[in-house]
Amino acid sequence: MTDARNWPGTLEIGEFSARWRGAVGDSVTHSHFAAQAVFAAPSASVEHAGTVVETPALLIEPNVPHRLGPCALADLYFVEPTRHAVLPELVAAISAGPYRLVSQPSGIAFWEGWLAKEEPAPRDRRLIDAMWLLDSQLETGPVRLAALAGAAGLSPDRFRHLFVEQLGIPLRRYILWRRMRLAAQRLAAGENVTEAAHGGGFSDAAHFARTIKHMFGVNASQLFAA
């Protein structure tokens, strides 16, 4: 019997996607920037907007508050909606049977376009250099708004507004998401939580743990328990 307090499993991290294979344990309602696909037999369950959906395949749009129900074995994909990540195994899993879409009004509609192999809308050219700069600064500490705005040739206020318009997420939350990716890569490579936190540019392990709880609804000790 699965211990619902923990999430034993394996995590694979790509540049713009990740895959979790293992148990789904206890969690709280949360949201994250990535679109999420959930597969489980006989069914996966998700609580959203006061209702519970149960089905073998779930597609959750980005930034949608939700809580997964405990499950002994599931396959979870996370796809960052800034690029068209090429994941043929995910396309095959979605195509194998019916799925339920979990979305919210006026939210990002990602999955339909992704399944049609549509590239996300082109980013404003002023953001391109700023995005490269952002990723280059993640491991070294703070990412400075003024530096990003300067790279884009914009005032800090205008840059913040443009960023939300283009990506659908506040700058600070996106930075945390990218830090999470770096730290998770280091954890998967065998570093402990403290080493991974610093490698991802978090101030300390506690900041990393709070971000995990906010974005995934679980404690770091649950997610990385043996």
Side-chain angles (χ1 to χ4, degrees), residues 99-161:
Y99 60 81
R100 292 283 298 275
L101 184 67
V102 180
S103 61
Q104 61 185 356
S106 303
I108 296 174
F110 169 80
W111 282 113
E112 182 179 356
W114 188 83
L115 289 169
K117 298 183 180 180
E118 296 174 1
E119 287 286 349
R123 302 298 172 206
D124 189 297
R125 60 179 179 78
R126 293 171 293 182
L127 285 183
I128 295 174
D129 288 343
M131 297 292 279
W132 281 108
L133 178 61
L134 187 157
D135 274 347
S136 73
Q137 292 183 338
L138 290 173
E139 295 183 57
T140 58
V143 176
R144 305 295 184 187
L145 171 61
L148 299 180
L154 297 168
S155 69
D157 282 346
R158 179 58 190 139
F159 179 82
R160 274 198 300 259
H161 289 305

Side-chain angles (χ1 to χ4, degrees), residues 133-143 174-182 197-202:
L133 178 61
L134 187 157
D135 274 347
S136 73
Q137 292 183 338
L138 290 173
E139 295 183 57
T140 58
V143 176
Y174 178 77
I175 291 171
L176 287 175
W177 173 255
R178 295 298 282 173
R179 290 197 190 285
M180 280 287 303
R181 179 187 64 86
L182 282 179
H198 288 302
F202 288 97

Side-chain angles (χ1 to χ4, degrees), residues 153-220:
L154 297 168
S155 69
D157 282 346
R158 179 58 190 139
F159 179 82
R160 274 198 300 259
H161 289 305
L162 180 64
F163 196 92
V164 173
E165 289 171 6
Q166 291 279 299
L167 274 79
I169 184 174
L171 173 63
R172 182 176 178 276
R173 188 166 169 81
Y174 178 77
I175 291 171
L176 287 175
W177 173 255
R178 295 298 282 173
R179 290 197 190 285
M180 280 287 303
R181 179 187 64 86
L182 282 179
Q185 285 179 326
R186 290 174 174 271
L187 282 168
E191 292 187 2
N192 62 42
V193 173
T194 299
E195 291 170 336
H198 288 302
F202 288 97
S203 56
D204 51 37
H207 186 199
F208 180 34
R210 288 194 301 273
T211 303
I212 291 173
K213 183 65 177 287
H214 182 72
M215 290 191 176
F216 295 100
V218 300
N219 295 320

Side-chain angles (χ1 to χ4, degrees), residues 18-21 34-39 75-79 87 89-90 93 111:
R19 184 180 185 181
W20 172 266
R21 300 151 101 177
Q36 185 175 6
V38 183
F39 304 93
D75 209 349
L76 277 57
Y77 289 84
F78 301 88
V79 184
L87 301 169
E89 72 281 5
L90 176 54
W111 282 113

